[in-house]
Amino acid sequence: MPELRDYVCWDIERVISTIQTEAVVASSAVFLATHTRLQIQRAEIDGRSFNNTGQMVSERDVLKDFLRRKTATGTVLMPVVGESGSGKSHLVRWVREKLPASDKRKVIYLEKSKTSLRHVIESLLEGVDDEEVAQVRADVRASTSSTDASALALRLVNELVIALAGTTSAELRGRQRQLAGPKGLALILQDPVLQDQMLQEKEFIPRFAEHMLSDRDTDDERPAHFTVDHLPLNVTSAMDGVAAPTRVMLRLLLSKPEMRDVAVGMLNEYWEKSVQATSSLGGGRILDAMKKVREIYARQGKEIVLLIEDFALIQGVQRDLLDAITETSQREGRTVLAPMRTLMAITSGYFHDLPETAITRIEASTGGHVYNLDLVLNGQDDGIEAIASFAGRYLNAARVGRKELEAHAGKVPNQCDKCPVRAACHDAFGTSAEGYGLYPFNQPALRRTVHAVAPADQPHAFVPRTILSRALIPVLTEGYDSIQEGSFPDEEFRGRFKSNRDAGDPPLTGRVREQIDDLDQADGARREKLLEFWADSPTELVNLEPGIATAFSLPALSIDADRAKRLPQTARTTSPTEPAVDRPQGRGEPEVSRSLQKRLDAVESWSTGDGLPTTEASTVRSVISRAAVYRQDWLNPPVKPLGVSDAGQAGWGNRANTVSIEGAAAQALAGDDSPVIFKRTAANSEFFKSLILLNAETLTAVRSQDVVRLASLADRYAQVLRKRVTAQAQLSDDDLVSGLRVSLMGAALAGHAHPHMSVEQLHAAAFDLGQSWQRPDSSSRTEMWQRSLNAHLAKREALIDTLRGALGVGQGMGAVQVIDAARALPLLRRAAEQWELNGIALPRWAQDAAQSLAGWHVLVPAQHAQLVSLLQDIRQCFPRGERSADLLSQLDAALRVAAELGLEGGSRIVAIRALMGQIEDADWASLTALERDLAKLTDDLEGPAALAAALQGAVPLRNPHLSGMHQLLQSADAFLGDALQAAEARGQTAASTARQQMGALKDAWQQLAQDASGGQA
């Protein structure tokens, strides 16, 4: 005995051969077996559009109106309007099938799949034995059989150029006059570059030529006329290769959108004339031929019934055909042309483009109405029943199969009647009003599937072709194996069909999906889709109806009856058709404001595939990033605490590169380095709702489990935060070593750090702001050294603030109170290993303070050389081993003698004594230490060793009087030499005495210099 589990009652071959998306393709038996009553509305013509009256009619009403309507002209032109796939052709086909047989009626049926020009003409003229008509047929055959599509396309373009070039301003209207004549729009089509664009594959003219020669592929939609997209406007701005006169016209079309519309209108207006010229139908030949046909049938006493499945596709003869079928049959009280009734399917847009004469004749022949098949179901019971009735017929036909339907010739068997699982299947899945089983659908699944494939702007639209091609056929064919294997609905189904909120079909709530994720690890994805479509998205977790669960091999869950009530939950979400403020709250369920509810609904929508809006994504990111900041232990290791804004500036904030959310706004800009990543899951959507409620301080609606999860995430990502902040703020160990090196080298400029200091001394210098630093020995510094020092001190405070913040501990959010020596000293030792910046990458925060150190390898040697020069000059007059008191005493005596003798340079004596006063406190013994430090730089040292030796001589604070001492000795030496020469020039006794005294002093002074020179050697 067969079981419902994994059962299929159709096969794929039957589905493909029986269910046809085009009404004309199916055989008569299949067509009638699958025919479902159409939803037809009577609409009143209003100018070039129409308005629905709300009056619903049946197919039989249309047939009766079509056959019985009488007009004064003997012609009836009745349009059936609707968008593509709405069932227009189906209604025309049904009328043909139900047309009563009559010897007094000639039926001409123009199928939409047979709209090549040759087929149309032969169908219209079929059965007429007339020389003129025969010649028309022969000419069309010749013109369409002696060429290929590409050659025909070129001929069509050339004929269109001729037609447009022949226009004059006098015969055109409005803006068309700007495009008239051979120098107007014709230039565009005639130019080789632009013409080549219009003849590219898939463009309007080549496609038209292809269809003009061959019948239509049923799946290939043919454009009805030119549109703006068909204009050759994709040229470069320079319009390379386009002839100069054409550029003028091309610029007109490119610069003025309204002129593009005018150009398209002219192309369509003259297109039929071009087609007729190409196919030898010009000069009204088709009109004359059709009149001849009507004359012949008038003599036979017959009425012509013309059924057109798609009038828009009968291109090339439309205007002549309209004139022919609306031409009055009466002349002077007698019938000269056969009466003619035309039922034509036409899209709403093409109806708007019909010639004014055609609209007038339609109004006159129908009383001013059309039949509209653009059906929008309201989602109520009648709409659901209509969907079930439509689907049920096709499902039954697929089970029966085309051959058996044709064999029964009119009586459609119900395959369910002999099905061994009929009772269980119908109980579980239901039937249509006609008794056809809906399996593998039920009514909710059918409704949701139809809504899922409806046009985006018409969520309740009922488009038969779309339902068949995108819903029924895919489920029956693609689901065939997965149903038998127990894996339906598979990934293909889940990806293809999404609940349409705009149609009032809310997806399964995040709360229910979260419970499914928790309880069903094996079949969670299938269970979600089955509950959403087949159980109509219950708001609580339930087991699927047993029959449906059995058919799809879905095991039941052990669900505690009170589980849903005990589970913590956020505030409910709503469907778009149910405003939050009008929804009654469950007992104990917290209420939220309308605006907050909309935000929760946005998160719910995100969980089912929509994007997460910027506001909600920002809130989630902000709460999580702030939580990590608040949970950070800034004392382990110690570092200056960061506030939320500081963390944001350092690269940790409510941005996608911190918290990545799948499908959220701006997510594509985040890259792949986001440390916190959330996938689109039900659990995450419920978590996000709690975060939004937390942020809004609606705490009573927040689930406790989400608060725990937030704390856990904050703990987990606190260390990630520190690493991110460190990396973004460039505070890694290597960055800090570089910054400390800049600080030490800056301190060296001020004389507070050099390579041979203790680590404690270096520590003090490295973290000193330098606000009190001054060099008392500035007079012995080079200009470059002093300039670099001043520039560094101007930028040093920012450098030290960053170092203190990274390596110090503060109180609260205040200033750093103490440096973490345990972390700082190892970094400081690394920094002091080298005293140069070449080859290292500096963090941003250290670059300003380091700019003054750019000339370090010139700066230090230059300062060292200056000190060496000063010392050498001083030692010329004050050698090692001498006492400064003796030197100054001798100098004082010499100055006194020179003054007593009135020797030249009296004013210089005053200046020299002033210098002696300025260096009165000078420590002449410090010259020994300077000499020792400067001597450490030798010719044997290179590289870092040479730089370190130079630094030890150049950096330390020296005697502030060093430059004064040098100046005094230089000035005294020059004065004494001049004074001796002046004394020797005198011949007096006094002068002789003075000469003796000065000579003795000069000898003594020169001896000092010689000793100094010898000592240096």
Side-chain angles (χ1 to χ4, degrees):
M1 182 74 178
E3 295 183 355
L4 188 56
R5 182 182 303 277
D6 308 335
Y7 183 75
V8 291
C9 51
W10 65 90
D11 63 52
I12 294 178
E13 289 297 329
R14 287 182 180 178
V15 172
I16 295 174
S17 64
T18 306
I19 300 181
Q20 299 293 337
T21 59
E22 296 287 353
V24 69
V25 175
S27 65
S28 178
V30 173
F31 174 82
L32 293 175
T34 56
H35 172 72
T36 305
R37 178 178 175 178
L38 297 170
Q39 301 292 315
I40 310 168
Q41 303 178 69
R42 186 184 175 103
E44 297 294 338
I45 297 176
D46 181 10
R48 288 184 167 274
S49 59
F50 48 85
N51 300 316
N52 289 326
T53 62
Q55 179 185 356
M56 303 299 295
V57 298
S58 68
E59 297 92 328
R60 294 193 179 277
D61 293 328
V62 175
L63 177 60
K64 185 185 300 184
D65 186 23
F66 177 58
L67 293 181
R68 295 183 181 180
R69 182 165 292 276
K70 303 295 184 181
T71 64
T73 62
T75 61
V76 173
L77 180 57
M78 184 174 291
V80 176
V81 298
E83 294 306 318
S84 178
S86 62
K88 305 183 303 298
S89 301
H90 189 99
L91 178 56
V92 174
R93 169 75 185 275
W94 185 91
V95 168
R96 177 202 180 193
E97 296 290 342
K98 296 297 183 179
L99 206 61
S102 173
D103 293 337
K104 297 296 184 181
R105 183 180 296 130
K106 167 62 179 177
V107 178
I108 301 174
Y109 187 51
L110 298 184
E111 302 177 17
K112 64 188 301 183
S113 61
K114 296 180 179 179
T115 51
S116 65
L117 184 61
R118 175 177 174 176
H119 210 127
V120 169
I121 297 301
E122 291 189 346
S123 296
L124 289 171
L125 306 182
E126 182 184 10
V128 176
D129 185 11
D130 179 84
E131 184 177 346
E132 181 180 343
V133 171
Q135 187 60 50
V136 170
R137 280 197 294 257
D139 289 345
V140 171
R141 288 174 185 171
S143 66
T144 57
S145 62
S146 61
T147 186
D148 58 21
S150 59
L152 179 59
L154 185 57
R155 287 171 56 194
L156 286 168
V157 171
N158 291 335
E159 290 294 344
L160 188 55
V161 170
I162 293 171
L164 292 171
T167 59
T168 63
S169 298
E171 69 184 79
L172 298 179
R173 57 195 179 278
R175 291 193 177 97
Q176 288 185 341
R177 296 189 179 99
Q178 299 181 60
L179 305 179
K183 295 185 179 180
L185 185 59
L187 283 174
I188 299 293
L189 277 70
Q190 194 173 8
D191 188 274
V193 174
L194 304 181
Q195 187 181 97
D196 183 63
Q197 292 182 28
M198 298 189 75
L199 292 176
Q200 293 294 317
E201 188 179 2
K202 302 301 182 183
E203 288 297 325
F204 175 78
I205 295 176
R207 291 179 67 186
F208 183 94
E210 185 68 38
H211 290 295
M212 188 173 169
L213 295 176
S214 58
D215 289 328
R216 171 180 177 266
D217 182 344
T218 56
D219 293 327
D220 183 17
E221 288 293 339
R222 184 198 305 181
H225 44 66
F226 283 99
T227 67
V228 172
D229 292 336
H230 297 134
L231 294 176
L233 302 180
N234 57 335
V235 296
T236 62
S237 57
M239 302 181 187
D240 293 337
V242 177
T246 310
R247 295 180 188 176
V248 176
M249 187 56 54
L250 194 54
R251 289 193 185 99
L252 176 66
L253 298 182
L254 289 169
S255 61
K256 295 185 178 181
E258 66 275 12
M259 290 305 300
R260 296 198 285 271
D261 294 332
V262 173
V264 168
M266 289 183 65
L267 290 176
N268 287 319
E269 185 175 347
Y270 288 90
W271 179 243
E272 187 162 316
K273 182 178 180 180
S274 305
V275 174
Q276 291 179 353
T278 304
S279 56
S280 304
L281 290 176
R285 294 187 70 195
I286 188 63
L287 174 60
D288 293 340
M290 281 301 298
K291 284 183 179 180
K292 179 70 71 172
V293 170
R294 289 184 65 183
E295 288 175 2
I296 293 173
Y297 285 117
R299 290 195 293 270
Q300 298 174 8
K302 288 186 177 182
E303 177 184 60
I304 299 176
V305 174
L306 176 60
L307 304 176
I308 306 175
E309 284 195 344
D310 195 337
F311 184 77
L313 298 182
I314 306 175
Q315 296 167 327
V317 295
Q318 288 168 335
R319 293 178 186 272
D320 278 3
L321 183 58
L322 281 173
D323 289 341
I325 63 181
T326 56
E327 180 76 19
T328 180
S329 62
Q330 303 293 315
R331 287 287 189 275
E332 299 178 355
R334 63 188 184 90
T335 301
V336 295
L337 300 179
M340 193 157 188
R341 297 181 184 274
T342 302
L343 184 68
M344 64 179 187
I346 185 170
T347 63
S348 305
Y350 200 79
F351 180 87
H352 181 273
D353 294 333
L354 284 175
E356 187 67 34
T357 54
I359 297 291
T360 302
R361 290 169 182 175
I362 290 172
E363 288 186 284
S365 64
T366 67
H369 68 266
V370 297
Y371 291 108
N372 182 17
L373 273 79
D374 281 333
L375 173 64
V376 176
L377 298 176
N378 58 17
Q380 303 303 317
D381 291 342
D382 58 342
I384 296 172
E385 288 297 335
I387 293 173
S389 178
F390 174 83
R393 289 179 181 273
Y394 277 98
L395 290 171
N396 181 64
R399 298 182 189 112
V400 175
R402 178 176 59 84
K403 291 183 179 179
E404 189 171 347
L405 288 173
E406 292 172 350
H408 280 76
K411 182 172 176 57
V412 181
N414 187 340
Q415 193 73 359
C416 294
D417 291 342
K418 54 184 179 181
C419 178
V421 295
R422 177 179 181 276
C425 180
H426 286 194
D427 285 345
F429 292 91
T431 64
S432 69
E434 296 79 15
Y436 299 127
L438 300 180
Y439 177 73
F441 300 93
N442 62 0
Q443 282 197 359
L446 268 177
R447 188 194 76 243
R448 284 174 171 265
T449 303
V450 168
H451 290 166
V453 299
D457 58 341
Q458 291 183 295
H460 291 98
F462 184 88
V463 185
R465 185 191 303 165
T466 302
I467 295 171
L468 294 176
S469 63
R470 297 179 56 194
L472 291 189
I473 293 176
V475 171
L476 295 179
T477 55
E478 297 169 6
Y480 183 84
D481 290 334
S482 61
I483 290 176
Q484 288 187 312
E485 295 166 358
S487 59
F488 182 84
D490 57 12
E491 186 176 353
E492 186 77 20
F493 182 96
R494 299 194 299 271
R496 183 188 293 272
F497 300 108
K498 305 291 185 181
S499 288
N500 189 338
R501 291 186 184 85
D502 294 334
D505 298 337
L508 205 62
T509 66
R511 177 168 172 264
V512 174
R513 287 185 291 110
E514 183 182 27
Q515 295 176 50
I516 292 174
D517 291 344
D518 182 44
L519 296 175
D520 191 355
Q521 303 301 317
D523 293 303
R526 288 204 307 130
R527 189 179 301 276
E528 284 186 14
K529 189 57 70 172
L530 286 170
L531 286 177
E532 183 176 329
F533 273 63
W534 276 260
D536 218 4
S537 282
T539 57
E540 301 291 345
L541 178 60
V542 296
N543 277 312
L544 204 62
E545 196 278 329
I548 298 176
T550 298
F552 296 140
S553 301
L554 187 72
L557 296 176
S558 297
I559 303 174
D560 187 339
D562 294 327
R563 176 181 176 82
K565 296 180 181 179
R566 295 200 309 269
L567 281 174
Q569 63 183 47
T570 56
R572 285 185 183 177
T573 57
T574 62
S575 71
T577 59
E578 183 186 16
V581 293
D582 296 333
R583 187 192 66 249
Q585 300 288 331
R587 184 173 60 183
E589 184 179 345
E591 294 192 22
V592 296
S593 66
R594 176 192 288 269
S595 60
L596 187 54
Q597 186 62 57
K598 287 183 178 179
R599 301 189 65 189
L600 300 179
D601 292 344
V603 175
E604 184 74 22
S605 298
W606 165 78
S607 72
T608 58
D610 289 351
L612 188 63
T614 301
T615 301
E616 284 64 49
S618 179
T619 298
V620 169
R621 292 173 177 138
S622 178
V623 173
I624 293 173
S625 61
R626 281 186 286 135
V629 174
Y630 296 149
R631 299 285 286 195
Q632 175 65 260
D633 181 7
W634 299 108
L635 296 176
N636 186 27
V639 68
K640 179 181 179 181
L642 290 180
V644 172
S645 60
D646 296 326
Q649 293 176 1
W652 183 274
N654 61 334
R655 290 178 292 183
N657 62 355
T658 299
V659 180
S660 170
I661 303 173
E662 181 182 359
Q667 186 58 46
L669 305 177
D672 300 324
D673 62 343
S674 302
V676 189
I677 299 175
F678 288 100
K679 294 296 184 182
R680 194 196 304 270
T681 66
N684 284 339
S685 72
E686 294 301 298
F687 179 52
F688 288 178
K689 292 177 193 174
S690 287
L691 298 186
I692 289 173
L693 291 167
L694 272 174
N695 190 70
E697 300 183 358
T698 310
L699 303 183
T700 56
V702 177
R703 304 191 311 177
S704 58
Q705 68 196 68
D706 292 329
V707 176
V708 173
R709 183 182 178 188
L710 177 62
S712 175
L713 286 174
D715 285 337
R716 183 193 314 170
Y717 291 110
Q719 291 305 313
V720 179
L721 158 64
R722 181 185 288 267
K723 292 180 180 179
R724 166 62 70 88
V725 169
T726 296
Q728 293 288 332
Q730 295 186 314
L731 294 175
S732 67
D733 284 358
D734 289 343
D735 293 324
L736 292 174
V737 167
S738 297
L740 286 168
R741 186 168 296 167
V742 172
S743 177
L744 289 176
M745 291 169 66
L749 289 173
H752 290 273
H754 61 73
H756 295 285
M757 278 185 170
S758 68
V759 69
E760 290 79 8
Q761 292 174 309
L762 293 177
H763 182 278
F767 292 98
D768 197 317
L769 291 174
Q771 294 176 338
S772 61
W773 285 354
Q774 293 182 353
R775 287 204 72 115
D777 60 351
S778 59
S779 61
S780 59
R781 300 284 108 185
T782 66
E783 181 180 354
M784 182 180 180
W785 185 283
Q786 196 62 40
R787 188 169 59 248
S788 297
L789 171 61
N790 293 337
H792 174 78
L793 291 178
K795 303 292 184 179
R796 184 176 178 82
E797 184 174 355
L799 170 72
I800 303 305
D801 280 345
T802 302
L803 288 171
R804 289 182 178 183
L807 296 169
V809 181
Q811 186 173 8
M813 298 300 293
V816 173
Q817 303 294 319
V818 64
I819 300 299
D820 178 14
R823 183 170 179 229
L825 288 178
L827 301 178
L828 188 63
R829 290 189 180 95
R830 285 179 56 192
E833 290 175 358
Q834 295 185 26
W835 289 74
E836 57 183 337
L837 300 179
N838 288 350
I840 67 171
L842 291 174
R844 292 184 301 273
W845 48 268
Q847 290 174 4
D848 286 347
Q851 286 182 358
S852 58
L853 307 174
W856 189 255
H857 282 272
V858 175
L859 178 70
V860 173
Q863 181 61 55
H864 188 279
Q866 174 151 315
L867 290 175
V868 168
S869 177
L870 279 173
L871 182 62
Q872 288 176 345
D873 288 346
I874 290 173
R875 284 306 188 194
Q876 291 290 333
C877 301
F878 184 66
R880 284 192 303 271
E882 293 298 322
R883 294 172 55 200
S884 58
D886 294 341
L887 173 67
L888 296 176
S889 175
Q890 293 172 358
L891 177 58
D892 178 70
L895 293 175
R896 194 168 49 251
V897 170
E900 290 173 354
L901 295 176
L903 298 176
E904 292 182 4
S907 60
R908 293 166 67 187
I909 294 175
V910 174
I912 290 172
R913 288 198 176 278
L915 287 172
M916 293 177 66
Q918 292 172 9
I919 65 167
E920 184 177 357
D921 299 327
D923 180 9
W924 293 81
S926 64
L927 294 175
T928 302
L930 173 62
E931 193 170 37
R932 182 180 64 249
D933 289 343
L934 292 176
K936 291 178 180 179
L937 178 60
T938 68
D939 294 338
D940 296 333
L941 297 179
E942 295 181 354
L947 182 61
L951 283 169
Q952 195 164 354
V955 166
L957 296 174
R958 299 301 177 180
N959 191 325
H961 299 301
L962 186 60
S963 180
M965 294 160 62
H966 175 264
Q967 186 178 356
L968 171 65
L969 295 176
Q970 292 294 308
S971 299
D973 183 60
F975 169 73
L976 290 176
D978 293 342
L980 181 58
Q981 290 180 5
E984 290 175 349
R986 294 185 180 185
Q988 297 93 344
T989 303
S992 176
T993 303
R995 183 169 57 251
Q996 294 174 357
Q997 293 177 343
M998 290 302 299
L1001 287 172
K1002 182 62 178 177
D1003 291 342
W1005 188 267
Q1006 290 178 344
Q1007 184 61 47
L1008 288 174
Q1010 291 174 1
D1011 294 341
S1013 176
Q1016 290 296 327

